[in-house]
Amino acid sequence: MHYQWYPGHMVKTKALIKENLKLCDVVVELLDGRIPISSRNPDINNILGDKQKVVVLTKSDLADPIKTKAWVEHLKDSNTEAIAINLNSANQWKRVVEKVKQSSTLKSKYKRLNIKVNKPTRVMVLGVPNVGKSTFINKVASRTAAKTGDRPGVTKQKQWIRTKEKIELMDTPGVLWPKFDDQEIGFRLAVTGAIKDEIVNIEDMANRLVSFLIKEYPCNLQKRYDINLDRIVGPNEFIQQVAGNRKILQSQGNLDIEKASEIIVREFRKGLLGNVTLEDIDKITT
């Protein structure tokens, strides 16, 4: 299965980011905490250069906490603050706002000159599709200022949003890049929901996911599905057993492997398979 998704609006978004970057004091780059490297767009990273950034690992409630802590430390540098948050938690977004205020180049510039500035800090919010940009913006704005949805491609154009935090947020559409050099990156983006399900093979995706979980998080699988992995030959047999145990059948009475695959992927995305991070800092270099 070849994973790729780069619709026309993403080309326009890339140009939009270039055009508006100079208007912003700091960038908030949202990454999926389960796939910190695969959800980091290399094209956008090149455009940002040495711009002040706050990297936010979202969906930390779904990720492996030990690995998340390691990734946060790894992603920090002289121009970058890093933080992991759960956007579903009441006030964790405030930690990001504090980091933004500390990182703002505007604040730093005028602080050196000993000048107080009342103008708001302008922040560009970036990330791949379905990483939580609109949810984050709505939390900071304390209202539904940006459309949200548990699917990629909800935001289609930029918008500036004022907040009570003396911050103006620029919401941008989620953007991927034209070609994934490594199809494992495409798989990770797809299985976490950054690529439309309609254009991928759900059975292949579930197969890859189960294969990874058998190797890295076997206890999570056994706990959720009550299947003895010692008796399982591989991911195909595991999915078949899930279908059999849950009586997921086609109209003719045969096992519905596609439906079982959908269920496994959906339960992974909801965190029902436990806290899982698909990228290990010791095995992946940036």
Side-chain angles (χ1 to χ4, degrees), residues 21 25-29 40 44-46 48-56 75 77-82 99-100 103-105 124 126:
L21 190 60
D25 305 304
V26 62
V27 169
V28 169
E29 182 184 19
R40 192 167 214 182
I44 300 304
N45 218 33
N46 290 335
L48 296 181
D50 59 359
K51 191 78 174 180
Q52 283 296 131
K53 287 182 292 186
V54 177
V55 171
V56 181
L75 291 166
D77 61 37
S78 58
N79 294 311
T80 306
E81 290 282 354
K99 292 283 187 184
V100 164
S103 300
S104 171
T105 52
M124 181 182 287
L126 302 175

Side-chain angles (χ1 to χ4, degrees), residues 13-278:
T13 299
K14 189 173 168 182
L16 180 147
I17 291 168
K18 284 183 180 179
E19 292 168 9
N20 289 273
L21 190 60
K22 60 182 177 292
L23 303 176
C24 300
D25 305 304
V26 62
V27 169
V28 169
E29 182 184 19
L30 271 58
L31 306 179
D32 188 319
R34 298 164 296 178
I35 52 167
I37 294 302
S38 293
S39 59
R40 192 167 214 182
N41 188 328
D43 289 353
I44 300 304
N45 218 33
N46 290 335
I47 292 171
L48 296 181
D50 59 359
K51 191 78 174 180
Q52 283 296 131
K53 287 182 292 186
V54 177
V55 171
V56 181
L57 296 184
T58 65
K59 309 189 181 184
S60 62
D61 54 314
L62 304 176
D64 184 323
I66 295 175
K67 292 184 179 181
T68 295
K69 185 177 180 181
W71 277 114
V72 167
E73 291 303 313
H74 180 76
L75 291 166
K76 292 179 182 177
D77 61 37
S78 58
N79 294 311
T80 306
E81 290 282 354
I83 188 171
I85 66 170
N86 170 12
L87 287 172
N88 294 318
S89 186
N91 295 312
Q92 286 203 14
W93 59 269
K94 291 184 178 179
R95 297 167 59 210
V96 183
V97 169
E98 197 55 41
K99 292 283 187 184
V100 164
K101 291 177 178 178
Q102 292 170 4
S103 300
S104 171
T105 52
L106 182 72
K107 179 181 176 181
S108 301
K109 174 184 174 183
Y110 285 99
K111 188 176 182 180
R112 287 196 303 270
L113 298 174
N114 204 23
I115 299 172
K116 290 186 177 180
V117 181
N118 289 322
K119 68 177 291 188
T121 300
R122 287 194 136 189
V123 180
M124 181 182 287
V125 183
L126 302 175
V128 299
N130 204 28
V131 76
K133 295 185 303 301
S134 296
T135 299
F136 168 71
I137 286 170
N138 290 339
K139 295 278 189 181
V140 179
S142 300
R143 65 184 191 279
T144 305
K147 288 183 178 181
T148 62
D150 189 20
R151 66 187 191 282
V154 173
T155 303
K156 288 294 199 312
Q157 58 188 4
K158 78 163 186 180
Q159 55 178 326
W160 283 102
I161 296 156
R162 295 192 175 191
T163 75
K164 296 177 183 177
E165 300 288 335
K166 290 188 177 179
I167 287 175
E168 288 185 359
L169 300 170
M170 179 182 162
D171 187 16
T172 60
V175 59
L176 296 171
W177 53 107
K179 183 181 179 181
F180 305 138
D181 292 330
D182 182 355
Q183 279 298 298
E184 279 300 307
I185 290 175
F187 155 68
R188 294 179 196 128
L189 286 165
V191 80
T192 51
I195 295 176
K196 284 186 175 181
D197 287 339
E198 294 84 351
I199 66 170
V200 301
N201 184 317
I202 196 74
E203 292 181 37
D204 177 80
M205 190 159 62
N207 191 289
R208 291 190 188 210
L209 174 63
V210 170
S211 179
F212 172 84
L213 294 173
I214 287 174
K215 182 179 178 182
E216 301 291 339
Y217 294 92
C219 293
N220 294 32
L221 280 180
Q222 290 181 165
K223 183 178 179 180
R224 179 62 185 172
Y225 299 108
D226 194 24
I227 293 175
N228 187 345
L229 295 181
D230 293 334
R231 300 178 181 178
I232 296 295
V233 174
N236 286 328
E237 186 176 337
F238 181 89
I239 296 171
Q240 289 172 9
Q241 191 155 334
V242 169
N245 290 353
R246 294 195 177 183
K247 295 182 171 51
I248 305 170
L249 307 173
Q250 298 173 335
S251 57
Q252 306 93 327
N254 298 323
L255 295 177
D256 193 334
I257 302 304
E258 182 178 1
K259 186 66 176 178
S261 297
E262 289 176 1
I263 288 171
I264 291 170
V265 170
R266 183 168 66 245
E267 292 188 349
F268 162 73
R269 290 173 179 170
K270 289 182 176 180
L272 297 177
L273 307 190
N275 295 84
V276 173
T277 296
L278 298 173

Side-chain angles (χ1 to χ4, degrees), residues 2-19:
H2 185 76
Y3 293 89
Q4 201 66 51
W5 187 45
Y6 194 61
H9 76 270
M10 292 187 182
V11 181
K12 295 178 182 177
T13 299
K14 189 173 168 182
L16 180 147
I17 291 168
K18 284 183 180 179
E19 292 168 9

